[in-house]
Amino acid sequence: MKRTPTLFEAVSPIVVMLLLLAIGYGVFKLNPEPLLILASIYAGAIALRLGYNWEDMMDGIREKIDQAMPAILILISIGILIGTWIISGTIPMMIYYGLQIIDPTFVVLIAFVVSAIISVVTGTSWGSAGTVGVALMGIATGLDASLPATAGAVVAGSYFGDKLSPLSDTTILAPITAGSELYEHIKHMLWTTIPAAIIGMIVYLIAGFNLSSGNVTQPETVDAMLGTLTEMFDMNILLLLPPLIILYGAIRKKPTLPMIIFSSIVAAMLAKFVQGFSATDIFASAVSGFDASMVNRPGFDSENVLEEVTRLVNQGGMESMMGIILIAFSAFIFAGIITKSGSLEVVINALMKIVKRTGDLVLSTVISSITMGLVTGNSYLTIIVPGEIFKDTYKSMKLKAKNLSRTLEDSGTVVVPLIPWSSAGVFMTGTLGVSTMSYAPWAIMCYLGFIVAIILGYTGIGIAKMEETEQTVHGSTSGKSVH
């Protein structure tokens, strides 16, 4: 006989999951996937205690995976897109021209802008910081500028691009978890990201007035990167076709997956007929990612390619997305069980007694996501776990899913690099040579984003409400995700 869980029974699986992740992943650095499976086993034991059998739990898991499958297909296709955009020369050309706008006069402001441009183009914050970020730190050293300020601007710029790039894994994951649409999610993030970025740039501009006049030449590393890119790829205006296809699809609200595949096909053709790559290399780049060793040009030696260049171009492919998909599937197993057993509904009802306004809900989401970041240091989990917990609460308050996906990125994706023990914090410190606590105050966009999100939540500005038709559909689905 099935029964409704008590509050303790409903909350305990979430507590067990947090403890497993905090100790197993946070302390002992164990892989998160098995820890999520262990939490699912405990959640399954609670479900059995409540009278649910294995088939019931499997139904819950299947429902979660079924809801997420269209977005997961997009995630896989983005891997193809990145691989083909690189081998076609599209991404390298964007990097090439982006690097040339570096002006050392206002190094802190330029550090933010250039890092943001490269990150939007590549979809990777780490790649941006580890390449142009390092070059910008060299400029700052030559100018005797503030290294913590420059590093903070690089981190903020890198995560600005990571957050708004349709090629970014976290940008794709947030709408998958919340149940929103990729380009609607990106557009909705402008409400919080642009004000935070503008305030940051004003601060960087003011800081730049106290720096040298900028009569320092462009560092040798940047010149070498530009030279290497021109050796590897032919720069051609046709290489803008793949991103223009994506831009057209976004503006015209075309289905995302077909536009990504079409753009990838055009990029593959450019790789063949403009860059001269073989069909074997093009398919390999789409599956396992591009590698500089694929370049076969007279006088070019792939063994001597700058590390800064390989960091940017050796990426992409479907396989690059498998790690995040495994984490997502493991989390969906847990979410499917606690949803089917009624535990999540009990937790939501308890939350609703505390959460009275939209601002309260946004604040609760921010606190949960940041807590997950502090506990695990993993940007994926700061999105997936709070997303699954709060998804139905947003629906019950007649708020569109893109409000949740935006808040998850505002308080998850961009906050993790400010946590010293997170993988992102460790990477940025090691790469830029400045401690996390030193650059954190200057990574202005990373913490202003969630502050703006909370303000918008309480004022109602930039909050998307469900239409009457959406509310009707929601009511008829008994709390299940609507697509």
Side-chain angles (χ1 to χ4, degrees):
M1 187 69 179
K2 296 172 184 176
R3 64 177 177 84
T4 303
T6 64
L7 183 59
F8 174 80
E9 289 171 326
V11 172
S12 64
I14 297 173
V15 173
V16 167
M17 178 199 61
L18 288 173
L19 288 174
L20 283 169
L21 291 172
I23 298 170
Y25 183 84
V27 178
F28 294 105
K29 307 302 178 186
L30 301 175
N31 289 339
E33 296 91 342
L35 297 172
L36 287 167
I37 297 298
L38 287 174
S40 302
I41 292 171
Y42 178 83
I46 294 293
L48 288 172
R49 176 186 172 92
L50 297 172
Y52 291 85
N53 58 33
W54 172 243
E55 281 303 317
D56 294 328
M57 287 182 262
M58 278 301 298
D59 285 342
I61 295 169
R62 276 192 291 264
E63 286 173 11
K64 286 292 178 186
I65 295 175
D66 179 61
Q67 292 162 11
M69 188 53 66
I72 288 174
L73 290 175
I74 291 175
L75 188 63
I76 295 170
S77 68
I78 287 291
I80 300 173
L81 187 77
I82 295 171
T84 54
W85 277 24
I86 293 175
I87 199 168
S88 69
T90 294
I91 287 177
M93 186 176 76
M94 291 179 176
I95 294 170
Y96 177 80
Y97 288 109
L99 281 171
Q100 294 186 69
I101 73 168
I102 297 176
D103 180 348
T105 304
F106 300 113
V107 64
V108 181
L109 175 61
I110 295 300
F112 174 84
V113 174
V114 173
S115 298
I117 290 171
I118 300 300
S119 190
V120 167
V121 169
T122 62
T124 167
S125 52
W126 288 23
S128 179
T131 53
V132 295
V134 173
L136 288 159
M137 293 301 290
I139 295 173
T141 301
L143 287 169
D144 197 26
S146 168
L147 295 184
T150 307
V154 167
V155 171
S158 298
Y159 275 88
F160 173 91
D162 191 317
K163 188 179 180 187
L164 293 180
S165 173
L167 307 182
S168 166
D169 48 11
T170 51
T171 304
I172 301 164
L173 182 63
I176 287 177
T177 304
S180 58
E181 194 273 333
L182 176 61
Y183 292 109
E184 283 295 312
H185 164 66
I186 292 173
K187 183 179 177 182
H188 202 53
M189 281 196 293
L190 298 178
W191 282 97
T192 54
T193 306
I194 296 303
I198 289 173
I199 293 170
M201 286 193 288
I202 291 170
V203 173
Y204 299 146
L205 184 62
I206 293 170
F209 286 131
N210 298 318
L211 301 178
S212 168
S213 60
N215 50 9
V216 176
T217 58
Q218 189 163 262
E220 291 182 7
T221 302
V222 174
D223 285 333
M225 288 175 69
L226 293 172
T228 302
L229 288 171
T230 54
E231 288 178 14
M232 295 173 69
F233 301 95
D234 288 330
M235 305 302 171
N236 189 309
I237 194 170
L238 291 175
L239 303 184
L240 293 176
L241 281 175
L244 286 176
I245 290 168
I246 295 296
L247 182 62
Y248 170 80
I251 293 172
R252 302 289 297 177
K253 298 185 184 296
K254 301 291 184 182
T256 305
L257 187 59
M259 297 307 295
I260 290 173
I261 297 300
F262 179 47
S263 177
S264 300
I265 292 171
V266 171
M269 293 173 65
L270 291 169
K272 175 66 177 174
F273 297 109
V274 174
Q275 306 299 347
F277 286 101
S278 68
T280 302
D281 285 337
I282 294 169
F283 275 84
S285 187
V287 175
S288 54
F290 179 79
D291 192 278
S293 62
M294 294 175 178
V295 179
N296 185 20
R297 289 174 175 243
F300 179 79
D301 183 5
S302 61
E303 297 294 325
N304 296 321
V305 176
L306 285 173
E307 184 183 354
E308 287 81 4
V309 173
T310 57
R311 278 185 191 171
L312 280 176
V313 300
N314 285 11
Q315 58 171 311
M318 290 188 288
E319 292 176 2
S320 67
M321 297 297 176
M322 290 304 107
I324 183 175
I325 290 172
L326 282 176
I327 292 178
F329 271 118
S330 300
F332 290 149
I333 293 170
F334 176 81
I337 294 173
I338 64 170
T339 300
K340 194 67 177 182
S341 67
S343 296
L344 194 57
E345 186 177 353
V346 169
V347 171
I348 290 169
N349 289 337
L351 274 173
M352 292 301 290
K353 294 177 182 177
I354 304 170
V355 174
K356 302 297 184 184
R357 297 174 292 175
T358 300
D360 298 336
L361 181 55
V362 172
L363 178 61
S364 300
T365 308
V366 168
I367 292 172
S368 300
S369 193
I370 292 176
T371 300
M372 183 60 66
L374 292 169
V375 167
T376 68
N378 183 291
S379 57
Y380 299 148
L381 295 175
T382 64
I383 292 172
I384 294 173
V385 176
E388 287 295 338
I389 292 173
F390 286 98
K391 182 190 296 184
D392 288 336
T393 311
Y394 276 75
K395 288 178 183 175
S396 65
M397 292 186 71
K398 311 301 185 236
L399 299 173
K400 287 190 175 182
K402 61 184 179 182
N403 297 296
L404 172 58
S405 59
R406 179 181 72 187
T407 306
L408 292 173
E409 287 235 69
D410 287 333
S411 51
T413 301
V414 295
V415 173
V416 170
L418 307 183
I419 300 171
W421 53 88
S422 70
S423 55
V426 171
F427 174 84
M428 294 299 170
T429 294
T431 301
L432 303 176
V434 176
S435 71
T436 308
M437 297 310 293
S438 296
Y439 72 64
W442 290 96
I444 297 168
M445 191 216 68
C446 292
Y447 55 82
L448 270 190
F450 71 79
I451 294 173
V452 174
I454 294 169
I455 293 171
L456 295 185
Y458 280 108
T459 60
I461 300 170
I463 298 296
K465 302 276 189 178
M466 283 185 179
E467 304 293 338
E468 288 296 327
T469 53
E470 293 176 295
Q471 294 180 25
T472 303
V473 172
H474 168 59
S476 66
T477 55
S478 302
K480 293 179 183 177
S481 295
V482 179
H483 292 274

